[in-house]
PDB file of all heavy atoms in Angstrom:
ATOM      1  N   THR A 403      -3.804 -11.684  82.534  1.00 90.00           N
ATOM      2  CA  THR A 403      -4.145 -12.896  81.791  1.00 90.00           C
ATOM      3  C   THR A 403      -3.847 -12.825  80.300  1.00 90.00           C
ATOM      4  O   THR A 403      -3.882 -13.850  79.622  1.00 90.00           O
ATOM      5  CB  THR A 403      -5.639 -13.229  81.950  1.00 90.00           C
ATOM      6  OG1 THR A 403      -6.424 -12.127  81.445  1.00 90.00           O
ATOM      7  CG2 THR A 403      -5.992 -13.453  83.420  1.00 90.00           C
ATOM      8  N   TYR A 411      -1.020  -0.066  65.218  1.00 98.00           N
ATOM      9  CA  TYR A 411       0.442  -0.192  65.163  1.00 98.00           C
ATOM     10  C   TYR A 411       0.859  -1.087  63.999  1.00 98.00           C
ATOM     11  O   TYR A 411       1.791  -0.773  63.256  1.00 98.00           O
ATOM     12  CB  TYR A 411       0.980  -0.784  66.465  1.00 98.00           C
ATOM     13  CG  TYR A 411       0.814   0.085  67.680  1.00 98.00           C
ATOM     14  CD1 TYR A 411      -0.223  -0.135  68.578  1.00 98.00           C
ATOM     15  CD2 TYR A 411       1.708   1.114  67.956  1.00 98.00           C
ATOM     16  CE1 TYR A 411      -0.371   0.645  69.714  1.00 98.00           C
ATOM     17  CE2 TYR A 411       1.569   1.904  69.086  1.00 98.00           C
ATOM     18  CZ  TYR A 411       0.519   1.657  69.966  1.00 98.00           C
ATOM     19  OH  TYR A 411       0.379   2.442  71.077  1.00 98.00           O
ATOM     20  N   LEU A 444       9.608  -1.016  68.136  1.00 98.00           N
ATOM     21  CA  LEU A 444       8.557  -0.037  68.392  1.00 98.00           C
ATOM     22  C   LEU A 444       8.027  -0.294  69.803  1.00 98.00           C
ATOM     23  O   LEU A 444       7.447  -1.351  70.075  1.00 98.00           O
ATOM     24  CB  LEU A 444       7.438  -0.167  67.361  1.00 98.00           C
ATOM     25  CG  LEU A 444       6.450   1.001  67.235  1.00 98.00           C
ATOM     26  CD1 LEU A 444       5.634   0.870  65.945  1.00 98.00           C
ATOM     27  CD2 LEU A 444       5.511   1.120  68.422  1.00 98.00           C
ATOM     28  N   GLY A 449      -0.484   0.846  79.683  1.00 95.00           N
ATOM     29  CA  GLY A 449      -0.717   1.260  81.055  1.00 95.00           C
ATOM     30  C   GLY A 449       0.438   2.025  81.672  1.00 95.00           C
ATOM     31  O   GLY A 449       1.428   2.359  81.002  1.00 95.00           O
ATOM     32  N   GLY A 463      -2.472   9.137  92.310  1.00 98.00           N
ATOM     33  CA  GLY A 463      -2.858   9.270  90.913  1.00 98.00           C
ATOM     34  C   GLY A 463      -2.281   8.220  89.982  1.00 98.00           C
ATOM     35  O   GLY A 463      -2.609   8.208  88.791  1.00 98.00           O
ATOM     36  N   ALA A 473       9.617  -4.540  83.290  1.00 97.00           N
ATOM     37  CA  ALA A 473      10.939  -5.165  83.364  1.00 97.00           C
ATOM     38  C   ALA A 473      11.429  -5.576  81.978  1.00 97.00           C
ATOM     39  O   ALA A 473      12.590  -5.349  81.618  1.00 97.00           O
ATOM     40  CB  ALA A 473      10.902  -6.377  84.294  1.00 97.00           C
ATOM     41  N   ALA A 482      18.715  -2.478  73.133  1.00 98.00           N
ATOM     42  CA  ALA A 482      18.597  -1.857  71.815  1.00 98.00           C
ATOM     43  C   ALA A 482      19.442  -0.588  71.719  1.00 98.00           C
ATOM     44  O   ALA A 482      20.060  -0.320  70.683  1.00 98.00           O
ATOM     45  CB  ALA A 482      17.133  -1.551  71.511  1.00 98.00           C
ATOM     46  N   ILE A 511       0.414  13.819  85.866  1.00 98.00           N
ATOM     47  CA  ILE A 511       0.689  15.241  85.645  1.00 98.00           C
ATOM     48  C   ILE A 511      -0.316  16.139  86.351  1.00 98.00           C
ATOM     49  O   ILE A 511       0.026  17.235  86.785  1.00 98.00           O
ATOM     50  CB  ILE A 511       0.737  15.591  84.141  1.00 98.00           C
ATOM     51  CG1 ILE A 511      -0.555  15.199  83.423  1.00 98.00           C
ATOM     52  CG2 ILE A 511       1.945  14.942  83.477  1.00 98.00           C
ATOM     53  CD1 ILE A 511      -0.623  15.637  81.966  1.00 98.00           C
ATOM     54  N   LEU A 531      -7.156  15.340  66.011  1.00 97.00           N
ATOM     55  CA  LEU A 531      -6.011  16.177  66.381  1.00 97.00           C
ATOM     56  C   LEU A 531      -6.461  17.129  67.478  1.00 97.00           C
ATOM     57  O   LEU A 531      -7.193  18.084  67.221  1.00 97.00           O
ATOM     58  CB  LEU A 531      -5.504  16.931  65.157  1.00 97.00           C
ATOM     59  CG  LEU A 531      -4.944  16.036  64.033  1.00 97.00           C
ATOM     60  CD1 LEU A 531      -4.743  16.839  62.763  1.00 97.00           C
ATOM     61  CD2 LEU A 531      -3.645  15.391  64.477  1.00 97.00           C
ATOM     62  N   VAL A 554      -1.587  17.237  67.496  1.00 98.00           N
ATOM     63  CA  VAL A 554      -1.478  15.811  67.792  1.00 98.00           C
ATOM     64  C   VAL A 554      -2.719  15.336  68.546  1.00 98.00           C
ATOM     65  O   VAL A 554      -3.494  16.141  69.068  1.00 98.00           O
ATOM     66  CB  VAL A 554      -0.220  15.519  68.647  1.00 98.00           C
ATOM     67  CG1 VAL A 554       1.049  15.975  67.922  1.00 98.00           C
ATOM     68  CG2 VAL A 554      -0.317  16.178  70.024  1.00 98.00           C
ATOM     69  N   GLU A 584      14.490  12.939  71.262  1.00 98.00           N
ATOM     70  CA  GLU A 584      15.234  12.275  70.202  1.00 98.00           C
ATOM     71  C   GLU A 584      16.709  12.199  70.562  1.00 98.00           C
ATOM     72  O   GLU A 584      17.188  12.932  71.419  1.00 98.00           O
ATOM     73  CB  GLU A 584      15.057  13.003  68.868  1.00 98.00           C
ATOM     74  CG  GLU A 584      15.563  14.429  68.851  1.00 98.00           C
ATOM     75  CD  GLU A 584      15.265  15.128  67.525  1.00 98.00           C
ATOM     76  OE1 GLU A 584      14.093  15.207  67.118  1.00 98.00           O
ATOM     77  OE2 GLU A 584      16.244  15.620  66.901  1.00 98.00           O
ATOM     78  N   GLY A 593      11.085   9.418  70.503  1.00 98.00           N
ATOM     79  CA  GLY A 593       9.947   9.127  71.345  1.00 98.00           C
ATOM     80  C   GLY A 593       8.926  10.234  71.235  1.00 98.00           C
ATOM     81  O   GLY A 593       9.281  11.417  71.265  1.00 98.00           O
ATOM     82  N   ALA A 618      12.776   3.363  57.183  1.00 97.00           N
ATOM     83  CA  ALA A 618      13.963   3.586  56.346  1.00 97.00           C
ATOM     84  C   ALA A 618      15.245   3.378  57.134  1.00 97.00           C
ATOM     85  O   ALA A 618      16.219   2.800  56.629  1.00 97.00           O
ATOM     86  CB  ALA A 618      13.940   4.987  55.748  1.00 97.00           C
ATOM     87  N   THR A 622      18.925   0.343  56.934  1.00 58.00           N
ATOM     88  CA  THR A 622      20.325   0.688  56.823  1.00 58.00           C
ATOM     89  C   THR A 622      21.176  -0.309  57.601  1.00 58.00           C
ATOM     90  O   THR A 622      20.937  -0.550  58.778  1.00 58.00           O
ATOM     91  CB  THR A 622      20.581   2.110  57.375  1.00 58.00           C
ATOM     92  OG1 THR A 622      19.744   3.025  56.672  1.00 58.00           O
ATOM     93  CG2 THR A 622      22.034   2.503  57.210  1.00 58.00           C
TER      94      THR A 622
END
Side-chain angles (χ1 to χ4, degrees):
T403 60
Y411 294 100
L444 196 166
I511 56 174
L531 296 168
V554 301
E584 62 184 57
T622 303

